[in-house]
Amino acid sequence: PNVSKKSLSNKINLIEEPSGQYDVLILAVPHDEFKNQNVDQWKKHLKKEAVIFDIRGSNPELGKQSYTYMNL
């Protein structure tokens, strides 16, 4: 959400609004809009077997869910 499409290479497909179910969630930077989302907002976009990489550990509540959760 903090990147403009113009600044990206045409090889990257920026998703402005998630739709559907995803296998992997990567939280790389703890922007407030990500930290302030509750677990249910994330869960509606993740498959049951999803893997969550929370690089900085900014949303530890996700680790209490039934997903594979990893952080540094």
Side-chain angles (χ1 to χ4, degrees):
N2 295 325
V3 176
S4 72
K5 282 188 175 184
K6 291 179 185 178
S7 67
L8 297 175
S9 140
N10 60 359
K11 295 179 183 180
I12 297 173
N13 181 20
L14 179 65
I15 299 171
E16 293 184 33
E17 288 294 325
S19 63
Q21 300 281 291
Y22 297 95
D23 296 310
V24 177
L25 170 64
I26 301 172
L27 297 170
V29 182
H31 292 298
D32 287 339
E33 61 259 44
F34 300 136
K35 291 191 312 187
N36 295 333
Q37 287 191 358
N38 67 41
V39 172
D40 290 332
Q41 290 171 303
W42 293 111
K43 285 171 65 173
K44 68 182 178 182
H45 296 294
L46 297 173
K47 293 181 179 177
K48 279 182 168 181
E49 305 82 22
V51 176
I52 300 170
F53 293 102
D54 185 2
I55 304 300
R56 297 198 181 173
S58 60
N59 199 328
E61 287 299 310
L62 288 171
K64 297 176 183 175
Q65 304 304 307
S66 60
Y67 306 107
T68 300
Y69 176 84
M70 295 178 228
N71 65 4
L72 296 177

